[in-house]
Amino acid sequence: NNKDCIVEVEFDTNNKAYRVVRGIKPNLFEIYCDGVLVNQDAASRDYQEYLEKFILKLNYKSFTQIVILGSASFTPFMQLSASDRRAIIEDLLDIQIFSTMNSLVKDKLSNNKDLVAEKKHEIDLATQKHDMQKKHIEELKQNNEDKVKEYESEIQVHSETISSLLGNVNTLTAEVDNLQLVVESKIETEAKVKKITKIESQIESNLSKFRKDISFFQNHDDCPTCRQTIAMEFKEEELTNLSNKVMECEHGLQQLEEKLTAEQDKLNEIAEKQRELQKKQVEIATCNTTIIETNKMIARVRKLIDELKESKVVTTKEEQELKELKELLGTLQESLKQLIEEKTYYEVASNLLKDTGIKTKIVRQYLPVINKLVNKYLASLDFFVNFNLDESFKETIKSRHRDEFTYNNFSEGEKQRIDMALMLTWRAVAKLKNSSNTNLLILDETFDSSLDANGTEELMKILHMLEGVNLFVISHKGDILQDKFANVIRFRKEKNFSRIS
């Protein structure tokens, strides 16, 4: 019912007793070493990796090649890819550590590359600072007297400029004073214009009245008020007087108009002088500003002269800083040299640790032993061929007539003999290297497949030759194999449950 399923396995390795407990619904994973629970702080995947690497020293793929043969759930060695074949053999020969070392070297190479780039950047900066400081000291050590004379000449030029500007200011000030006198008469002239305009208005008013009276006497013979007749002599006398007054008014207006025009011209001249006055005042302000700024420049140049006279103290300080920068640059260059040397070592180590490096050399030494063992077990299984694995873990199988074949060219029974021979070879190599040595061997329906009677007998001879092996054979041929093993456990299914009988 997929609940409360518990599996416990007890075994000894490295002189320690282990018990592994696995369960589903609820999930359970516990490892006990000599009765003490191993720390479970890590994740389940890491716990499994600890079990394989540090306790069993056998991973899943290697387990299926060394311990189990014949199960449909596991792929025989000859059906694995070249990379998987390499991984299994590296595990058997206990050289997978070189892959881990290669990964570490790659990380160190990458880190070294970053450190070299960083150190080169620091050296560039230090070199720039050193060169700038050296140039600065050289400038400080230039002939101070020439520098002082140059600055004094500059001060002389500025002083002459100030004198010239002061002369311009005096000239402009005098012109401004004269213009000011002209401008000051503006108020008086404007008053005259106003007065003339007022008198002109009064005369025009009188002129209008006189013309009106003339029109009256010309158009009326009787007085409209008293209805009496106006005497002719009186009318002519009045008309004469009024005409004389009109002439006087017109003459007066003409004279006022001339005076007004003269005063207006005078005002226009004053306005022009006023604009000229403002322009002169702006020129004076500009000259004064230039004089102030020139005096500031003279003060700065005098300060530079004073600093040059004290430059000996400054130079001593700068030379000390230059010395420190030179020492720093030497330290950085030494560090870079060490990093480049480390890079050389890492690159050599990386080449050695690649698949084509030291691992290939080790595999090359073991290949003759592996091929010899495989052919020995094939011969024991009554299968007389020449089996050979190359450095790429590709097989070449030659028959008695020296024809070349591959694994897939053989029948299922022959393939099984090859698989069995390889398994026994891996076990022998593991025992020889003491890498994945185990006393457990499981044959899952190996006798039920394509082995003929002769093959079965040969396989039994090999199995009896194995010493110190806990052998488990799973088979449906109980009647045939019953007398070949000391212990037999039979299972039968009743109502969909397995029972031991």
Side-chain angles (χ1 to χ4, degrees):
N1 56 8
N2 290 331
K3 289 185 179 180
D4 300 320
C5 179
I6 298 292
V7 176
E8 296 187 14
V9 178
E10 295 182 359
F11 58 91
D12 293 338
T13 182
N14 296 326
N15 298 320
K16 292 182 180 179
Y18 286 92
R19 181 164 64 96
V20 181
V21 182
R22 303 297 294 262
I24 57 173
K25 294 187 179 181
N27 290 329
L28 183 65
F29 187 10
E30 295 175 342
I31 302 173
Y32 293 89
C33 177
D34 293 331
V36 179
L37 179 65
V38 177
N39 188 2
Q40 288 185 303
D41 290 342
S44 178
R45 182 178 297 177
D46 296 333
Y47 209 47
Q48 176 69 25
E49 187 177 357
Y50 177 80
L51 173 65
E52 294 179 4
K53 282 189 175 181
F54 300 102
I55 299 177
L56 296 176
K57 297 183 179 180
L58 193 69
N59 61 31
Y60 178 79
K61 288 183 178 179
S62 298
F63 180 84
T64 60
Q65 299 299 318
I66 296 174
V67 177
I68 298 179
L69 179 67
S71 174
S73 303
F74 306 116
T75 306
F77 180 84
M78 296 306 301
Q79 296 181 26
L80 295 174
S81 64
S83 60
D84 288 338
R85 292 182 184 184
R86 171 176 284 277
I88 289 171
I89 292 180
E90 286 182 2
D91 196 29
L92 289 174
L93 298 179
D94 200 21
I95 59 175
Q96 70 274 21
I97 185 63
F98 295 119
S99 298
T100 304
M101 291 168 66
N102 190 32
S103 177
L104 293 173
V105 167
K106 286 181 179 178
D107 292 340
K108 288 183 178 291
L109 262 174
S110 176
N111 185 49
N112 176 272
K113 182 180 178 181
D114 295 338
L115 289 174
V116 167
E118 181 181 346
K119 198 63 65 178
K120 285 182 177 179
H121 180 64
E122 291 179 4
I123 289 174
D124 290 340
L125 290 177
T127 302
Q128 290 178 9
K129 289 182 179 179
H130 178 272
D131 294 343
M132 289 175 64
Q133 189 72 3
K134 188 176 180 180
K135 184 178 178 181
H136 179 55
I137 291 174
E138 289 174 354
E139 290 176 353
L140 290 175
K141 288 182 176 180
Q142 286 179 356
N143 194 325
N144 289 342
E145 292 182 1
D146 293 343
K147 207 71 174 174
V148 168
K149 288 180 180 178
E150 180 183 340
Y151 287 147
E152 287 177 346
S153 298
E154 188 176 340
I155 290 174
Q156 181 65 30
V157 172
H158 291 325
S159 298
E160 291 174 357
T161 301
I162 290 174
S163 298
S164 176
L165 290 171
L166 287 172
N168 291 339
V169 169
N170 291 333
T171 302
L172 290 169
T173 302
E175 293 176 357
V176 166
D177 291 340
N178 294 330
L179 290 171
Q180 197 72 40
L181 293 174
V182 176
V183 172
E184 287 176 356
S185 64
K186 180 180 179 181
I187 297 174
E188 182 182 349
T189 304
E190 287 178 343
K192 286 182 180 180
V193 170
K194 187 175 181 182
K195 185 177 180 181
I196 290 170
T197 303
K198 184 178 180 181
I199 293 171
E200 194 177 45
S201 178
Q202 290 175 354
I203 292 173
E204 286 178 348
S205 178
N206 291 334
L207 182 62
S208 177
K209 180 177 178 301
F210 293 151
R211 285 174 177 169
K212 187 177 180 182
D213 289 344
I214 289 172
S215 178
F216 173 77
F217 283 113
Q218 287 176 346
N219 297 323
H220 294 84
D221 294 328
D222 299 326
C223 178
T225 303
C226 62
R227 302 296 182 180
Q228 292 182 3
T229 301
I230 301 172
M232 184 61 66
E233 294 178 358
F234 177 77
K235 181 187 291 190
E236 289 178 356
E237 185 179 351
E238 286 298 322
L239 285 171
T240 300
N241 291 333
L242 289 170
S243 295
N244 291 333
K245 289 180 179 180
V246 166
M247 289 177 64
E248 290 177 359
C249 288
E250 289 177 346
H251 181 69
L253 283 174
Q254 185 178 356
Q255 290 180 335
L256 288 173
E257 187 65 31
E258 291 175 356
K259 286 185 178 182
L260 182 62
T261 300
E263 295 298 328
Q264 287 288 359
D265 292 341
K266 191 175 181 180
L267 280 176
N268 291 335
E269 184 181 353
I270 290 171
E272 181 64 29
K273 296 294 183 183
Q274 194 172 22
R275 286 191 290 272
E276 187 178 350
L277 173 64
Q278 291 174 350
K279 182 179 178 181
K280 300 291 184 184
Q281 288 173 337
V282 169
E283 289 180 7
I284 290 171
T286 302
C287 288
N288 287 331
T289 301
T290 306
I291 290 169
I292 292 171
E293 292 301 321
T294 306
N295 281 324
K296 288 181 180 179
M297 290 178 65
I298 290 173
R300 285 196 293 268
V301 174
R302 291 191 186 280
K303 185 177 179 181
L304 288 173
I305 291 173
D306 294 338
E307 289 177 354
L308 283 172
K309 291 179 180 179
E310 299 175 358
S311 61
K312 289 184 179 180
V313 178
V314 177
T315 304
T316 302
K317 179 183 176 183
E318 300 294 333
E319 285 178 345
Q320 179 61 31
E321 292 181 2
L322 179 64
K323 182 180 178 182
E324 292 174 358
L325 285 171
K326 188 174 182 179
E327 291 175 354
L328 174 61
L329 187 58
T331 302
L332 291 174
Q333 289 173 340
E334 184 63 29
S335 298
L336 178 61
K337 182 180 177 182
Q338 292 177 0
L339 287 172
I340 293 175
E341 188 175 351
E342 286 180 6
K343 180 183 178 183
T344 304
Y345 292 145
Y346 290 146
E347 287 175 345
V348 171
S350 179
N351 290 329
L352 288 174
L353 294 170
K354 287 179 180 177
D355 288 344
T356 55
I358 191 170
K359 289 191 291 186
T360 298
K361 190 169 184 179
I362 294 173
V363 170
R364 190 182 296 131
Q365 289 180 343
Y366 277 91
L367 277 177
V369 176
I370 293 172
N371 290 326
K372 183 177 180 180
L373 286 171
V374 172
N375 287 301
K376 171 188 171 184
Y377 288 120
L378 286 174
S380 300
L381 290 170
D382 199 23
F383 189 31
F384 297 97
V385 293
N386 183 14
F387 182 92
N388 184 71
L389 281 177
D390 61 17
E391 294 177 6
S392 301
F393 306 105
K394 292 181 180 179
E395 78 279 8
T396 301
I397 306 174
K398 294 183 179 180
S399 68
R400 290 178 179 176
H401 303 287
R402 314 307 292 175
D403 295 326
E404 290 190 2
F405 297 96
T406 62
Y407 177 80
N408 292 322
N409 295 135
F410 293 98
S411 66
E412 292 303 317
E414 291 169 330
K415 287 180 181 179
Q416 193 168 33
R417 284 179 169 84
I418 295 173
D419 294 339
M420 186 65 192
L422 282 169
M423 181 181 187
L424 294 173
T425 299
W426 301 147
R427 291 176 67 86
V429 171
K431 186 175 182 180
L432 179 68
K433 281 291 297 178
N434 196 26
S435 56
S436 303
N437 190 14
T438 176
N439 61 1
L440 179 64
L441 176 59
I442 301 173
L443 302 183
D444 187 5
E445 300 184 4
T446 302
F447 289 92
D448 299 5
S449 53
S450 303
L451 281 180
D452 53 19
N454 189 33
T456 300
E457 290 296 328
E458 296 300 330
L459 179 57
M460 286 302 304
K461 289 179 182 179
I462 293 175
L463 294 178
H464 286 306
M465 291 168 55
L466 300 176
E467 296 180 357
V469 174
N470 293 318
L471 176 63
F472 292 84
V473 177
I474 302 169
S475 176
H476 295 288
K477 296 182 178 180
D479 52 342
I480 298 176
L481 299 176
Q482 181 175 357
D483 58 342
K484 299 184 183 295
F485 296 95
N487 299 309
V488 177
I489 303 174
R490 288 187 177 85
F491 291 85
R492 56 187 175 83
K493 186 172 288 186
E494 292 182 2
K495 297 180 180 180
N496 291 326
F497 283 92
S498 297
R499 302 290 184 184
I500 299 176
S501 60

